[in-house]
Amino acid sequence: MGALDYLSNFCIVSSTTTRSKHKPMQTVEIKVKMDCDGCERRVRNAVTSMKGVKTVEVMRKQHRVRVSGYVDAKKVLKRVKSTGKRAEFWPYIPQHLVHYPYASGAYDKKAPAGFVRNVVQAFPTAHEDNYVSVFSDDNVNACSIM
């Protein structure tokens, strides 16, 4: 029985070695320059025909395409680029989420209204907090400025 046990180790398929073929449900947003109905229709048809796509929203004025479904983001971008349009992942975030929307690199003239570029923001300097520690609550007549 030793040889049979040895050979049976090669035939066991565990659940950890099997790969899942299902992609997670996600939403992919892509920036694509579209000028006319033909451009919009070409992009919509290219993305709609992909396997796993549930919904496609095309917002021509914002130059934006939102695809939801069980898809890979890189494959969606590649399919949109195959239409001959220059495309990239949506680089903007809503302006109200940013502390300093007019910091260098964040403000973009080409961004749709209410959006700024998603960049690392400049944070306020620590000098504002140091003024609070100058005065003492224990001794109101004492001041460390003098």
Side-chain angles (χ1 to χ4, degrees):
M1 284 241 344
L4 189 57
D5 290 334
Y6 177 75
L7 290 175
S8 67
N9 288 337
F10 294 112
C11 298
I12 295 174
V13 179
S14 65
S15 63
T16 59
T17 59
T18 59
R19 298 172 75 188
S20 175
K21 293 183 180 181
H22 298 288
K23 296 177 181 80
M25 177 76 167
Q26 64 178 346
T27 301
V28 181
E29 294 185 345
I30 298 176
K31 178 183 173 187
V32 185
K33 182 151 168 67
M34 296 174 282
D35 297 323
C36 62
D37 291 334
C39 299
E40 181 180 340
R41 185 174 51 250
R42 194 173 347 154
V43 170
R44 182 186 301 272
N45 289 340
V47 176
T48 306
S49 64
M50 289 182 68
K51 183 179 178 183
V53 173
K54 297 296 180 194
T55 61
V56 177
E57 288 181 66
V58 178
M59 296 158 262
R60 186 173 25 164
K61 288 186 178 183
Q62 290 186 346
H63 302 292
R64 182 180 190 178
V65 177
R66 182 181 293 148
V67 180
S68 297
Y70 301 98
V71 293
D72 184 23
K74 291 180 183 179
K75 288 183 180 180
V76 173
L77 182 65
K78 187 176 180 181
R79 180 66 69 99
V80 171
K81 285 184 176 181
S82 71
T83 63
K85 297 288 181 185
R86 194 166 68 183
E88 62 179 332
F89 290 115
W90 186 253
Y92 305 117
I93 58 173
Q95 188 172 1
H96 68 276
L97 297 177
V98 179
H99 293 289
Y100 296 100
Y102 298 106
S104 64
Y107 183 72
D108 188 2
K109 291 180 183 178
K110 296 178 183 178
F115 288 92
V116 293
R117 239 181 218 286
N118 189 10
V119 295
V120 177
Q121 299 296 316
F123 291 102
T125 58
H127 299 294
E128 297 171 2
D129 296 334
N130 290 340
Y131 292 125
V132 175
S133 64
V134 171
F135 300 100
S136 172
D137 289 336
D138 298 334
N139 186 0
V140 291
N141 294 327
C143 178
S144 63
I145 296 175
M146 298 170 103

